[in-house]
C-alpha cells in the first residue's frame, strides 16, 4: 500500500471514530477506495431556491496544502506561489479571506499548481488509487471524478457540474490523445474552480426563518476552523445525514474534533493568525548587530511560540491565561545560542523549563514575540507595547497622526540619550505624540531587557536598563511582571474569545457582544481551556446564523471597456 | 500627421467642454487603426505603460524645480536624471485630498494617486488602480496583462489592483520573474519554427468550460461575492488569453533578445546594495519582457512606503531615519536618510536608461512607453501628502510632451491619473471621487 493510501486510511479511521461512525463503514467508502464511493449526485444545483451563497472565503496557503495532502496523500507536491490574503487593519486574515479576490497573476499560479497536482495524481505511481475502473470511457471518468469532486468541493457535485467535468475530460482526452491526460485536465479544472479556491458558504432559513449555514457549509466551517483542512469523509457523511444541524449530534462531533490530535493544526493556525505570524516572512535583522540571528533562528522563532502554545493548551489542557506565565518551552540548538541556555540535542526540538522567577516566562519572554516587534537594528518599546495592547487585549492603538513631528526623537548615536527610555521620554514631550505613546511605551519599556532579536541584556550603550513598566495604572517589572498582569486582566480572555469567534466566522466580532459574552463564560467554565472555547464557538446556535445582506448590483463600476 | 491633429482636437474638446463624453470608437481608432507610430518594418510597434514607485519622498527644496516649464532646473537630488531630462517630466504641487479620512502614514498617499480615492481604512486599495484600467485598454493581447515586481522582495509590496481586497502581488526575485516570463509557455517571437502545442489547446478548452459554469454561481451570490467572482472570471479570461497567445505564431520583434539563462538565486532583503542589484536584474528582465511583447503594462516597486531599506551595520531603517535623524543645520537636510534617496534616484535612472537603450525602429523602447514614477509622501519626516514627487518618462509613442516641469498649483493629484489614462486611450472624461473628482486634463502634457 502506498504511503498516500495508508495516510488516507488512517485519516478515514480517525475521522470515522470522530463522527461516531464504524470505521469499517467509513473506510469502505473513504477516499482510499473511490471505486465504491457514492457517485450519485443530486440533480439540483447546490443553491436551491431556498439556499443562498452568503460568503466566499479564500483558502489560505496552509489550508490548500493540508487539503491536497488529505485528499491525495502527503507525497503529492504543491509547487507555486500563493497570492497573499490582505489582512484588514486590526482584523484577522480569516476576515481578510472573505474579501480576498484573485488577481490574474494569482490565478496563473493556482492554475500552474493545479496542473502540477493533477499530473502527479494520475501518474503511474498514483493513478491506481484514484481510478477505480479499467475501460477508458465516460463512465470511468465519472467514477473517478465524482468522489474527488465531493472531497475537493466539500459537497457532492451536482449532476450538471459532474456532467460538465466528464465532458471536459472526454474532450481533453481526445485533444491530448490520452484518457489519463483528460482526467488530469478535468481534475485541474476542479482545482482552479472558485468552488475549490473559495470555501463557499451556503445558507438556508431555519425554523424561525433566520438564515443559518447549511449542512455542507457547516462541515467546511467545522473542519477548516478546528483542523485547518478540508472536511473528512466522515464529516461529509454527517453533513449528508443532517447531523450538523442537530444540536446534540453537533455537540458530540465538535467534542470529538477538539479532542482529536488534529485540533493542533487548528490551534496553530488560529494563533498564527491572531499573533500576525505573516510578519515572520518579512523578518530581517542586521547581521552585524545581531550575530546570533540567522535563518535557523528565524525559522525556529515562530515554531517555538506555537510549540509552547500547543503544549500548554492542548497537551496539558492548560489555562489560556497561564500562557503568559508558563516556564515551559522548547529549544533547538540554534535558539540555545540566542537564549544562552544549554541544548543537548544537535538537531530537532527538546523541552526546556526556565527556573522559577526567570524573566523569560510566558509568551512575552519568547524571542519570537520580542524580535517580531522590534526594528531591524534595535528593540522597540512602542511596537511591543502596541502589540500587547492590540493582539492580546484587543485594545486598538490609533495610527500616528499624519503631520507628526519627530524632532524630539534623537538618534541612537547621541551619547546623552543612551537608552530607549530616555529617547522616548524626550519624544513624549510632544503633546501630539504623547497621547498614543502613553498607551504603548510604558508597556514596552518593561521588556527592554530584551534586545532587537530577544537576547537578554542589562545595559544599552553602556547605561543600565530600567525594566520598570506600567500597564494602565498597574506597575510591573520585566516580561514576567507584564505576563502576570496580562494573565490577571479581564481583557485577555475576552480578547481571545472575540478573536476565536472572528476566526470561526471570518468577520470581526464587534457587533456580537452577547455571543462573545457567552463564549467568555464558556471559556471561564472550562478553566480557560482552548477546547472549551472552540467547543462553544462551534456549537452556539447564534454562531451559525448569517446576517441578511440584500442582493444588490455590483457596487464597484470598473472603467474597463470590453 | 493627420492622426496627431485629430487626437489633439479630441482631447481639447475633452478638456474645454464642461462634461464631454468621448465616444469610444474615436479613441479606439487612435490605438488600433492609426494610433501607433509605424516602425521601419511597417508593422505596428505596441505602446506600453508602467509605473515605478519609491517610498519616502524627497527633500522638497533639494528636488523640485523652482520654475515650471521646459528646461527645468535640476537641483542636487534631481541632478542624476540630467542626461535623460528631455524625456522626463517632473510633476509638483498636486495635492492629495482626503475629505476628512485619516492620513494613514505611508499608506494613504500611494493609493490616492493610483485610484483617485481616499483610503478610508487600511484595507488594500479603495478602488481600481489606473494602471489596471490602462491594462484593460492596452494589455489584453499579450501573455501577461501586467507584470508586478518588487525589488525589495515583498509580494504585498504593490499598489496595483481592482480594489476590494484585490491586489496584484509582486514578483519578489529575479529568478522568479525570469521563470514567469521566459519559462514554460514562452514562445520566442523570432524563432523560425512554430507549432501550437495540443496540450495547450486542450487546456484552453478546459478553461472555457470553467468560465461557462459561471451562470449557476452568479445566480446565488450577493454583491460582495459577485465582485469577487467578477475578478475571478477576469483572471480566467486573462489566462485564456495567455494560452491564445501561446497558440498564435508571434510576430517577429527585432528588439527582442531572449536571455540565455536564468539569473542566479540571490538574497532578497532590505539591504540597499541587495535591492539595487535585484532592481537591476529585474529591470533587465522586464525590459526584455516588453521588447518581446510578453506584456505591455508593468508596475515596478523599488521599495515600500514605510521603507525598510537598510545599510548593513546600521541600527535603523530608511523609514526610521527620516523620522529620527536630526536635520543637519549646516546641510539643511538629513544626510543619512538622504543617502537612500540618492540610491533611489540612481535606480530610477538605471530603469529609464535600460528602456532607452533598446531600439525599436527609429525610436527607443522608452519612446514607445509611458512610465509614471511616484512616491507616497512629499517629505517623509512629517508624512506630508501634498506635493508628492512624481515624474513621467517616455512619450508613450508620441502621446505626451516631455522635458517639462508641471506645477499643479495645488489642484487634485487625480488630474495626473486622468491625463495618463486619456493618453493611453482609456475612454474616461472624469476620474476620482469626492474632492479628487476631476475632469481637468493636464493640457501642457498632451501632445
Amino acid at each position: 500500500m502506498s504511503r498516500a493510501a495508508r495516510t488516507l486510511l488512517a485519516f478515514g479511521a480517525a475521522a470515522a471514530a470522530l463522527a461516531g461512525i464504524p470505521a469499517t463503514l467509513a473506510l469502505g467508502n473513504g477516499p482510499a477506495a473511490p471505486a465504491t464511493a457514492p457517485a450519485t449526485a443530486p440533480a439540483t444545483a447546490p443553491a436551491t431556491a431556498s439556499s443562498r451563497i452568503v460568503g466566499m472565503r479564500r483558502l489560505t496557503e496552509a489550508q490548500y496544502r493540508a487539503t491536497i495532502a488529505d485528499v491525495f496523500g502527503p507525497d503529492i507536491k504543491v509547487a507555486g506561489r500563493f497570492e497573499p490574503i490582505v489582512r484588514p487593519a486590526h482584523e484577522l486574515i480569516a476576515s481578510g479571506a472573505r474579501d480576498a479576490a484573485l488577481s490574474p497573476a494569482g490565478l496563473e499560479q493556482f492554475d500552474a499548481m493545479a496542473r502540477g497536482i493533477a499530473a502527479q495524481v494520475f501518474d503511474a505511481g498514483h493513478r491506481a488509487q484514484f481510478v477505480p475502473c479499467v475501460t477508458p470511457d465516460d463512465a470511468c471518468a465519472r467514477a473517478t471524478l465524482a468522489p474527488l469532486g465531493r472531497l475537493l468541493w466539500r459537497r457532492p457535485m451536482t449532476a450538471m457540474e459532474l456532467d460538465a467535468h466528464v465532458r471536459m475530460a472526454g474532450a481533453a482526452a481526445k485533444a491530448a490523445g490520452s484518457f489519463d491526460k483528460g482526467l488530469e485536465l478535468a481534475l485541474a479544472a476542479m482545482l482552479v474552480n472558485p468552488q475549490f479556491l473559495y470555501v463557499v458558504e451556503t445558507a438556508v432559513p431555519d425554523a424561525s426563518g433566520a438564515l443559518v449555514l447549511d449542512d455542507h457549509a457547516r462541515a467546511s466551517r467545522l473542519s477548516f476552523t478546528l483542523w485547518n483542512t478540508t472536511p473528512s469523509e466522515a464529516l461529509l457523511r454527517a453533513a449528508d445525514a443532517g447531523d450538523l444541524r442537530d444540536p446534540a449530534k453537533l455537540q458530540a462531533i465538535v467534542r470529538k474534533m477538539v479532542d482529536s490530535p488534529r485540533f493542533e493544526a487548528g490551534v496553530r493556525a488560529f494563533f498564527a493568525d491572531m499573533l500576525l505570524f505573516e510578519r515572520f516572512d518579512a523578518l530581517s535583522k542586521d547581521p552585524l548587530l545581531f550575530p546570533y540571528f540567522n535563518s535557523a533562528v528565524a525559522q525556529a522563532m515562530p515554531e517555538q511560540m506555537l510549540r509552547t502554545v500547543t503544549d500548554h493548551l492542548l497537551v496539558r489542557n492548560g489555562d489560556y491565561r497561564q500562557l503568559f506565565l508558563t516556564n515551559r518551552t522548547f529549544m533547538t540548538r540554534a535558539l540555545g545560542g540566542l537564549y544562552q541556555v544549554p541544548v543537548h540535542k544537535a538537531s530537532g526540538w527538546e523541552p526546556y523549563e526556565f527556573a522559577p522567577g526567570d524573566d523569560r516566562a510566558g509568551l512575552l519572554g519568547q524571542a519570537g514575540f520580542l524580535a517580531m516587534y522590534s526594528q531591524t537594528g534595535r528593540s522597540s518599546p512602542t511596537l511591543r507595547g502596541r502589540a500587547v495592547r492590540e493582539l492580546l487585549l484587543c485594545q486598538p492603538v490609533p495610527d500616528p497622526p499624519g503631520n507628526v513631528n519627530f524632532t524630539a526623537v534623537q538618534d541612537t548615536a547621541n551619547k546623552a540619550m543612551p537608552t530607549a527610555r530616555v529617547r522616548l521620554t524626550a519624544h513624549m514631550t510632544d503633546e501630539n505624540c504623547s497621547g498614543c505613546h502613553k498607551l504603548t511605551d510604558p508597556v514596552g519599556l518593561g521588556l527592554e531587557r530584551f534586545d532587537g532579536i530577544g537576547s537578554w541584556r542589562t545595559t544599552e550603550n553602556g547605561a543600565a536598563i530600567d525594566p520598570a513598566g506600567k500597564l494602565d495604572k498597574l506597575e510591573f517589572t520585566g516580561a514576567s511582571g507584564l505576563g502576570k498582569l496580562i494573565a490577571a486582566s479581564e481583557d485577555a480572555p475576552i480578547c481571545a474569545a472575540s478573536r476565536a469567534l472572528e476566526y470561526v466566522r471570518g468577520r470581526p466580532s464587534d457587533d456580537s457582544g452577547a455571543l462573545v459574552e457567552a463564549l467568555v463564560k464558556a471559556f471561564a467554565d472550562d478553566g480557560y481551556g482552548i477546547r472549551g472555547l472552540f467547543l462553544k464557538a462551534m456549537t452556539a446556535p447564534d454562531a451559525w446564523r448569517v446576517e441578511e445582506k440584500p442582493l444588490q448590483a455590483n457596487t464597484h463600476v470598473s472603467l474597463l471597456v470590453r | 500627421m493627420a492622426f496627431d491633429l485629430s487626437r489633439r482636437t479630441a482631447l481639447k474638446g475633452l478638456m474645454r467642454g464642461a462634461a464631454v463624453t468621448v465616444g469610444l470608437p474615436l479613441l479606439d481608432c487612435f490605438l488600433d487603426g492609426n494610433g501607433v507610430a509605424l516602425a521601419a518594418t511597417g508593422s505596428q510597434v505596441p505602446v506600453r505603460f508602467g509605473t515605478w514607485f519609491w517610498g519616502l519622498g524627497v527633500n522638497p527644496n533639494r528636488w523640485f524645480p523652482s520654475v515650471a516649464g521646459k528646461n527645468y532646473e535640476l537641483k542636487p537630488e534631481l541632478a542624476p536624471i540630467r542626461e535623460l531630462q528631455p524625456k522626463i517630466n517632473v510633476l509638483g504641487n498636486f495635492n492629495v485630498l482626503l475629505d476628512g479620512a485619516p492620513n494613514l502614514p505611508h499608506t494613504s498617499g500611494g493609493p490616492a494617486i493610483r485610484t483617485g480615492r481616499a483610503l478610508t481604512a487600511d484595507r488594500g486599495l479603495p478602488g481600481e488602480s489606473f494602471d489596471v484600467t490602462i491594462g484593460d485598454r492596452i494589455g489584453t493581447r499579450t501573455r501577461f496583462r501586467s507584470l508586478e515586481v518588487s525589488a525589495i522582495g515583498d509580494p504585498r509590496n504593490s499598489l496595483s489592483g481592482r480594489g476590494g481586497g484585490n491586489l496584484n502581488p509582486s514578483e519578489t526575485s529575479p529568478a522568479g520573474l525570469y521563470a514567469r516570463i521566459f519559462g514554460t509557455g514562452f514562445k520566442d517571437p523570432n524563432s523560425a519554427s512554430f507549432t501550437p502545442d495540443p496540450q495547450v489547446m486542450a487546456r484552453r478548452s478546459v478553461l472555457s468550460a470553467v468560465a461557462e459554469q459561471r451562470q449557476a454561481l452568479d445566480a446565488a451570490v450577493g454583491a460582495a461575492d459577485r465582485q469577487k467572482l467578477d475578478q475571478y472570471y477576469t483572471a480566467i479570461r486573462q489566462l485564456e488569453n495567455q494560452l491564445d497567445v501561446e497558440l498564435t505564431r508571434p510576430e517577429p520583434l527585432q528588439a527582442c533578445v531572449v536571455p540565455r539563462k536564468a539569473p542566479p538565486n540571490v538574497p532578497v532583503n532590505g539591504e540597499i546594495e541587495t535591492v539595487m542589484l535585484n532592481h537591476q536584474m529585474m529591470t533587465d528582465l522586464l525590459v526584455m519582457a516588453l521588447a518581446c511583447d510578453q506584456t505591455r503594462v508593468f508596475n515596478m516597486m523599488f521599495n515600500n512606503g514605510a521603507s525598510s531599506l537598510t545599510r548593513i551595520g546600521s541600527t535603523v531603517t530608511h523609514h526610521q531615519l527620516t523620522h529620527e535623524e536630526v536635520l543637519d543645520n549646516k546641510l539643511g537636510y538629513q544626510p543619512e536618510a538622504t543617502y537612500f534617496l540618492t540610491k533611489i534616484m540612481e535606480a530610477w535612472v538605471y530603469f529609464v536608461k535600460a528602456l532607452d537603450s533598446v531600439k525599436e525602429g527609429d525610436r527607443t523602447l522608452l519612446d514607445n512607453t509611458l512610465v509614471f514614477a511616484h512616491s507616497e509622501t512629499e517629505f517623509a519626516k512629517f508624512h506630508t501628502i501634498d506635493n508628492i514627487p512624481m515624474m513621467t518618462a517616455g512619450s508613450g509613442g508620441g502621446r505626451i510632451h516631455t522635458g517639462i516641469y508641471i506645477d499643479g498649483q495645488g489642484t487634485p493629484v487625480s488630474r495626473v491619473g486622468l491625463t495618463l489614462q486619456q493618453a493611453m486611450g482609456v475612454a474616461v472624461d472624469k476620474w476620482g471621487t469626492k474632492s479628487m473628482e476631476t475632469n481637468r486634463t493636464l493640457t501642457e502634457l498632451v501632445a
Side-chain angles (χ1 to χ4, degrees):
Chain A
M1 186 184 289
S2 78
R3 196 152 60 98
R6 264 203 313 277
T7 314
L8 282 168
L9 281 177
F11 172 55
L18 276 173
I21 291 169
T24 45
L25 184 77
L27 281 178
N29 290 305
T36 50
T40 47
T44 50
T48 53
S50 56
S51 107
R52 269 181 34 196
I53 295 177
V54 290
M56 293 173 61
R57 301 165 67 171
R58 223 200 76 196
L59 284 187
T60 65
E61 175 169 355
Q63 290 169 348
Y64 186 109
R65 289 182 183 280
T67 299
I68 297 304
D70 279 351
V71 175
F72 300 113
D75 56 336
I76 301 291
K77 285 186 189 63
V78 177
R81 186 170 45 76
F82 286 79
E83 175 164 353
I85 295 174
V86 178
R87 175 191 289 277
H90 305 306
E91 292 175 22
L92 295 179
I93 283 182
S95 294
R98 215 179 254 298
D99 288 343
L102 277 169
S103 69
L107 190 69
E108 192 186 312
Q109 290 286 322
F110 278 121
D111 179 58
M113 280 186 254
R115 284 182 292 120
I117 292 162
Q120 296 172 69
V121 167
F122 294 111
D123 71 12
H126 297 93
R127 79 179 294 282
Q129 294 171 54
F130 303 103
V131 183
C133 35
V134 192
T135 321
D137 56 10
D138 278 3
C140 183
R142 187 174 297 269
T144 306
L145 295 174
L148 292 179
R150 177 164 173 271
L151 291 172
L152 293 172
W153 291 6
R154 312 152 199 119
R155 58 166 175 81
M157 291 173 92
T158 64
M160 241 167 62
E161 290 163 345
L162 186 55
D163 288 348
H165 283 82
V166 170
R167 274 200 305 277
M168 238 183 261
K174 213 173 278 168
S178 130
F179 178 67
D180 284 4
K181 213 67 208 167
L183 289 177
E184 198 182 307
L185 282 165
L187 176 59
M190 280 180 194
L191 289 167
V192 82
N193 195 292
Q195 300 276 5
F196 174 70
L197 296 176
Y198 287 96
V199 179
V200 177
E201 294 188 325
T202 41
V204 288
D206 68 2
S208 69
L211 274 183
V212 293
L213 286 197
D214 72 9
D215 296 308
H216 289 95
R218 284 175 187 231
S220 289
R221 182 176 281 187
L222 283 167
S223 188
F224 283 111
T225 303
L226 299 176
W227 290 2
N228 209 35
T229 188
T230 202
S232 64
E233 177 61 36
L235 203 51
L236 287 175
R237 279 164 178 272
D240 293 340
D243 292 354
L244 305 181
R245 281 198 276 168
D246 175 325
K249 286 180 179 161
L250 177 66
Q251 176 86 17
I253 288 170
V254 176
R255 179 82 249 173
K256 279 179 177 147
M257 285 186 81
V258 297
D259 286 341
S260 151
R262 300 204 73 173
F263 184 43
E264 185 184 331
V267 170
R268 279 173 166 260
F270 170 61
F271 277 92
D273 196 346
M274 177 165 142
L275 299 176
L276 275 52
F277 271 27
E278 74 272 17
R279 291 178 61 127
F280 278 113
D281 299 343
L283 189 68
S284 73
K285 297 290 170 185
D286 193 296
L288 290 186
L289 296 168
F290 300 116
Y292 275 120
F293 188 82
N294 53 44
S295 62
V297 168
Q299 277 167 18
M301 279 175 167
E303 180 61 20
Q304 183 188 36
M305 291 175 77
L306 291 177
R307 279 181 185 249
T308 309
V309 166
T310 53
D311 178 68
H312 178 74
L313 294 178
L314 296 176
V315 177
R316 295 174 198 282
N317 235 347
D319 181 326
Y320 171 75
R321 301 168 304 172
Q322 300 281 322
L323 199 49
F324 304 100
L325 304 173
T326 179
N327 286 322
R328 292 176 201 278
T329 185
F330 297 83
M331 290 286 172
T332 64
R333 227 351 123 70
L335 285 177
L338 190 158
Y339 280 83
Q340 297 287 299
V341 300
V343 175
H344 306 290
K345 278 167 84 173
S347 66
W349 290 87
E350 65 181 38
Y352 186 84
E353 197 165 341
F354 292 110
D358 194 308
D359 208 34
R360 287 285 187 185
L363 267 195
L364 297 178
Q366 297 215 336
F369 178 82
L370 295 160
M372 190 164 27
Y373 297 102
S374 292
Q375 310 284 6
T376 54
R378 57 182 162 86
S379 71
S380 170
T382 308
L383 291 179
R384 288 174 182 174
R386 186 174 185 176
V388 167
R389 291 228 182 244
E390 295 194 334
L391 306 183
L392 305 176
L393 303 173
C394 293
Q395 301 167 350
V397 175
D399 282 310
N403 58 348
V404 68
N405 182 342
F406 285 83
T407 43
V409 179
Q410 304 295 312
D411 69 325
T412 49
N414 187 337
K415 294 269 186 312
M417 304 210 164
T419 67
R421 183 179 297 271
V422 179
R423 291 192 296 272
L424 282 165
T425 307
H427 183 49
M428 288 228 277
T429 55
D430 187 326
E431 283 176 7
N432 289 319
C433 306
S434 60
C436 299
H437 280 275
K438 271 183 197 153
L439 295 173
T440 56
D441 300 359
V443 180
L445 283 169
L447 304 173
E448 269 300 284
R449 283 185 300 193
F450 301 100
D451 68 11
I453 59 166
S455 285
W456 179 259
R457 62 177 177 181
T458 51
T459 61
E460 183 181 7
N461 295 321
I465 290 172
D466 171 8
K470 209 169 160 190
L471 176 64
D472 301 324
K473 289 187 179 131
L474 304 169
E475 296 188 347
F476 67 88
T477 304
S480 56
L482 180 56
K484 284 182 195 131
L485 290 187
I486 303 283
S489 90
E490 254 189 350
D491 284 358
I494 295 176
C495 183
S498 132
R499 290 299 192 194
L501 184 63
E502 178 182 354
Y503 187 72
V504 168
R505 298 194 299 179
R507 64 181 186 84
S509 309
D510 309 342
D511 60 347
S512 309
L515 194 47
V516 172
E517 251 172 60
L519 285 190
V520 173
K521 186 171 177 309
F523 199 16
D525 291 348
D526 191 52
Y528 295 102
I530 197 82
R531 290 189 173 94
L533 175 60
F534 275 93
L535 181 69
K536 181 72 180 176
M538 301 309 306
T539 52
D542 282 353
W544 294 107
R545 291 197 175 197
V546 284
E547 85 262 55
E548 294 257 15
K549 278 202 209 101
L551 282 168
Q552 59 184 30
N554 193 348
T555 47
H556 168 68
V557 180
S558 164
L559 293 169
L560 165 64
V561 181
R562 291 193 185 95
Chain B
M1 272 194 325
F3 154 66
D4 278 335
L5 189 68
S6 64
R7 186 176 40 188
R8 186 177 297 125
T9 317
L11 286 171
K12 282 201 173 141
L14 197 99
M15 284 144 5
R16 288 180 187 157
V20 180
T21 308
V22 175
L24 183 60
L26 187 60
L27 282 163
D28 250 345
C29 82
F30 293 161
L31 278 169
D32 304 338
N34 317 302
V36 180
L38 300 185
T41 57
S43 67
Q44 288 198 358
V45 174
V47 171
R48 291 82 159 198
F49 176 82
T51 66
W52 197 92
F53 173 87
W54 82 97
L56 298 185
V58 294
N59 295 307
N61 54 3
R62 289 168 42 84
W63 193 84
F64 283 103
S66 309
V67 184
K70 284 225 160 219
N71 300 317
Y72 51 83
E73 162 197 19
L74 292 175
K75 292 193 178 167
E77 287 170 10
L78 193 55
I81 71 161
R82 185 176 307 277
E83 206 182 315
L84 298 155
Q85 186 177 359
K87 296 190 176 189
I88 293 180
N89 293 318
V90 176
L91 301 114
N93 269 325
F94 288 95
N95 288 351
V96 168
L97 309 170
L98 297 178
D99 295 309
N103 175 6
L104 305 172
H106 310 294
T107 308
S108 291
I113 290 176
R114 296 284 272 274
T115 68
R117 294 160 188 241
L119 196 66
T120 47
D122 195 352
R123 224 184 160 99
L125 290 171
E128 181 168 286
S129 63
F130 75 80
D131 56 287
V132 170
T133 318
I134 291 175
D136 287 337
R137 191 74 196 86
I138 68 170
T140 56
R141 291 176 205 182
T142 48
R143 242 174 100 218
F144 305 104
R145 186 170 290 223
S146 66
L147 287 173
E148 281 68 42
V149 180
S150 165
I152 203 165
D154 178 1
R156 293 177 181 84
N157 182 202
S158 165
L159 288 172
S160 170
R162 293 191 187 274
N166 173 273
L167 201 61
N168 291 325
S170 291
E171 290 295 332
T172 55
S173 71
L177 182 62
Y178 172 88
R180 182 120 180 268
I181 305 168
F182 299 109
T184 320
F186 173 73
K187 294 270 184 268
D188 186 345
N190 299 322
S191 161
S193 65
F194 175 81
T195 26
D197 183 341
Q199 292 240 27
V200 173
M201 290 164 78
R203 274 177 63 204
R204 175 70 180 76
S205 61
V206 163
L207 281 181
S208 308
V210 170
E212 278 161 21
Q213 289 166 29
R214 174 174 190 171
Q215 266 184 329
L217 259 181
D218 258 1
V221 298
D225 294 322
R226 178 158 312 130
Q227 190 177 330
K228 273 189 301 224
L229 282 177
D230 276 345
Q231 298 185 349
Y232 173 86
Y233 286 105
T234 303
I236 283 279
R237 269 198 301 281
Q238 169 60 19
L239 214 51
E240 290 181 78
N241 191 64
Q242 206 167 309
L243 298 183
D244 286 342
V245 173
E246 283 178 37
L247 293 170
T248 316
R249 175 188 287 277
E251 291 277 326
L253 289 165
Q254 159 208 351
C256 172
V257 183
V258 181
R260 278 165 193 262
K261 59 177 180 17
N265 277 315
V266 288
V268 173
N269 56 47
E271 207 269 301
I272 181 70
E273 293 308 329
T274 313
V275 178
M276 291 295 281
L277 183 66
N278 285 353
H279 173 261
Q280 284 186 13
M281 289 197 280
M282 291 164 130
T283 297
D284 294 350
L285 289 166
L286 194 56
V287 164
M288 268 311 130
L290 295 169
C292 299
D293 206 24
Q294 301 301 296
T295 189
R296 295 180 187 176
V297 180
F298 61 85
N299 293 290
M300 168 65 88
M301 308 289 286
F302 181 79
N303 58 339
N304 41 346
S307 167
S308 39
L309 292 173
T310 59
R311 280 166 94 170
I312 208 152
S314 161
T315 59
V316 281
T317 62
H318 181 197
H319 174 220
Q320 285 168 277
L321 280 169
T322 61
H323 292 313
E324 297 175 8
E325 190 186 359
V326 281
L327 278 171
D328 185 310
N329 281 336
K330 274 199 204 115
L331 296 172
Y333 59 93
Q334 300 160 299
E336 292 289 313
T338 303
Y339 168 82
F340 290 102
L341 178 61
T342 315
K343 296 306 264 186
I344 287 168
M345 286 300 130
E346 194 183 304
W348 164 240
V349 168
Y350 181 91
F351 189 83
V352 180
K353 267 193 184 156
L355 287 168
D356 205 28
S357 64
V358 174
K359 287 264 173 277
E360 287 190 329
D362 51 3
R363 286 179 170 176
T364 69
L365 177 56
L366 178 65
D367 298 329
N368 292 318
T369 304
L370 176 53
V371 189
F372 173 55
H374 69 101
S375 191
E376 40 56 71
T377 42
E378 176 211 28
F379 184 44
K381 190 173 175 63
F382 301 136
H383 293 147
T384 45
I385 53 170
D386 288 336
N387 190 31
I388 294 177
M390 297 179 284
M391 290 178 273
T392 68
S395 68
R399 283 144 194 271
I400 64 161
H401 291 304
T402 58
I404 317 169
Y405 169 52
I406 293 172
D407 181 349
Q409 300 181 334
T411 52
V413 73
S414 44
R415 294 180 66 203
V416 178
L418 174 73
T419 308
L420 298 184
Q421 289 179 72
Q422 291 172 337
M424 288 290 107
V426 176
V428 55
D429 61 339
K430 110 188 145 188
W431 189 69
T433 55
K434 295 191 179 170
S435 300
M436 284 197 282
E437 184 180 276
T438 183
N439 61 358
R440 293 180 60 199
T441 306
L442 298 171
T443 51
E444 53 272 64
L445 212 58
V446 178

